[in-house]
Amino acid sequence: MDAVNIASAIDHFIQNEGLDGTKLVGQGYDGCATMAGKINGVQTILREKYPHALFFHCASHKLNLVIVKDHREHADTEIQELLTAANIAAENIGAEINLPRIVKQQQHRSNPPALNSAEFWKRSLLIPYLDSLISSLERRFSDENIPAFSLLLLHPSNMLDMNTKEFKLKINDFANYYQIKDLESEAELWYNIWKEKKLAKSKLSDMEMSEVVEETDIFFPKIKQALHISLAQPCTTSTIERSFSTLRRVKTWLRSTMTENRLNGLCILSVHRKLLDEKKEEMQQKILSRFCEDSRRLSLL
């Protein structure tokens, strides 16, 4: 299950199915090092052969990781509550909260300069926390996928927020990256058509990207190609992430010796439990019929 073999299996599937590798424009995996690693991860190995296949970790999940995993949730509130409790305790015992003392031996861990205790805690705890939060946001939300996100500018609600000159300048990012020739010649006409429709901003915002694609027939083949690329982007991997959560619930220590076939079946039942509830009686009959096929002396009915 190393990165090289997983990437090889994916590439083997693409070749065997006769898929056009030039149309591979996105990869969506969870964030583990084997899949998402920038040096030897699956996404990096496949990008060497399919350069337009940008890697997408779930955008919503990434933000959740920044706040919850990389940092304590509501840390600023917790720090404030801690300081308030400390002040109350000090007042009850008649003590005063002073700045930590600095001794000569403290050469490599000197306290930050501060005029009072509030400023000291701000400089020693809150500011480093915010610096760490900002750096984590920059790391997880890099500029690598900007060409893919720029495709969303073709949606009328985003496009009409700019003037024609700015719009044509912005589309060059993804036109050059995805090698969509003559896109600029269609872009100005595309912009003017939607501007002349004079639709309300709320109506434009409610339009699905698939509805916008329908407007490209006949006259806008390059715009249509760009919108198809946008629709193919794996903007979220929440469905993939669900399989890991399901596995954690199903494969407990009580079920640690089950076969792979049974584990897969239980996981599918867990993921699609809503469908199972809708056809509960039908499923029960099929399961009983399947068990009755065995010659074991069990009373199942």
Side-chain angles (χ1 to χ4, degrees):
M1 296 300 290
D2 59 281
V4 174
N5 284 320
I6 294 174
S8 177
I10 294 173
D11 186 40
H12 184 69
F13 172 81
I14 293 171
Q15 300 299 325
N16 279 0
E17 295 298 320
L19 301 176
D20 185 356
T22 61
K23 294 183 179 180
L24 185 59
V25 295
Q27 306 177 62
Y29 314 119
D30 68 314
C32 71
T34 302
M35 306 303 294
K38 290 188 176 182
I39 299 176
N40 295 315
V42 171
Q43 63 100 0
T44 304
I45 296 171
L46 289 176
R47 282 282 298 279
E48 293 176 358
K49 185 171 183 179
Y50 308 103
H52 294 154
L54 294 172
F55 166 63
F56 292 84
H57 193 191
C58 180
S60 302
H61 190 57
K62 283 198 296 186
L63 182 59
N64 181 65
L65 289 175
V66 170
I67 303 299
V68 178
K69 185 177 180 181
D70 292 354
H71 307 87
R72 288 189 307 157
E73 192 174 11
H74 309 305
D76 54 341
T77 306
E78 292 177 5
I79 291 172
Q80 186 60 48
E81 291 176 353
L82 182 63
L83 290 176
T84 303
N87 285 323
I88 294 173
E91 186 178 345
N92 289 338
I93 63 175
E96 184 179 354
I97 298 179
N98 296 317
L99 297 177
R101 63 190 182 92
I102 300 176
V103 296
K104 292 182 179 180
Q105 290 80 2
Q106 203 172 14
Q107 296 177 358
H108 302 292
R109 296 183 60 193
S110 59
N111 293 319
L115 299 176
N116 52 56
S117 58
E119 186 178 353
F120 170 79
W121 289 110
K122 179 181 177 181
R123 292 189 175 190
S124 60
L125 285 179
L126 187 57
I127 292 177
Y129 165 74
L130 291 176
D131 285 341
S132 176
L133 183 65
I134 291 169
S135 65
S136 183
L137 283 169
E138 291 175 347
R139 184 178 73 253
R140 292 188 180 276
F141 292 87
S142 64
D143 296 338
E144 187 179 27
N145 292 349
I146 283 181
F149 293 130
S150 297
L151 291 166
L152 298 174
L153 295 175
L154 293 173
H155 193 287
S157 64
N158 299 324
M159 178 175 61
L160 295 181
D161 287 337
M162 303 176 285
N163 56 47
T164 311
K165 185 178 179 181
E166 186 182 2
F167 171 64
K168 291 172 69 176
L169 186 64
K170 292 274 189 182
I171 65 173
N172 286 332
D173 289 339
F174 60 81
N176 294 332
Y177 183 82
Y178 291 108
Q179 299 176 353
I180 306 175
K181 297 180 180 179
D182 303 322
L183 179 64
E184 189 175 348
S185 60
E186 292 183 9
E188 188 171 358
L189 180 59
W190 178 252
Y191 181 94
N192 291 332
I193 283 178
W194 283 101
K195 190 173 183 179
E196 290 172 2
K197 290 186 177 184
K198 296 180 180 180
L199 298 175
K201 178 68 175 178
S202 58
K203 189 170 183 178
L204 290 173
S205 300
D206 291 339
M207 289 185 69
E208 298 287 346
M209 190 67 88
S210 56
E211 295 178 66
V212 179
V213 173
E214 294 176 1
E215 301 289 335
T216 63
D217 290 338
I218 304 174
F219 299 111
F220 300 100
K222 301 300 180 182
I223 297 289
K224 186 174 185 178
Q225 181 183 348
L227 291 174
H228 279 168
I229 294 173
S230 179
L231 286 169
Q233 300 291 354
C235 58
T236 176
T237 56
S238 56
T239 304
I240 303 169
E241 299 281 351
R242 283 183 65 195
S243 63
F244 293 98
S245 303
T246 297
L247 186 62
R248 193 178 296 113
R249 289 193 299 268
V250 173
K251 191 171 173 58
T252 64
W253 65 274
L254 289 172
R255 305 191 189 103
S256 59
T257 58
M258 73 176 78
T259 62
E260 182 178 352
N261 206 24
R262 184 182 179 191
L263 176 62
N264 290 338
L266 289 174
C267 286
I268 291 173
L269 290 175
S270 178
V271 170
H272 300 287
R273 52 187 174 276
K274 288 185 178 179
L275 182 61
L276 187 65
D277 288 338
E278 293 174 3
K279 301 183 178 181
K280 190 172 182 179
E281 293 184 2
E282 182 183 345
M283 285 295 297
Q284 287 175 341
Q285 290 298 323
K286 286 184 177 181
I287 291 171
L288 286 172
S289 299
R290 173 67 182 85
F291 275 96
C292 287
E293 292 176 2
D294 294 337
S295 58
R296 294 178 297 175
R297 297 178 181 178
L298 295 175
S299 179
L300 300 172
L301 295 175

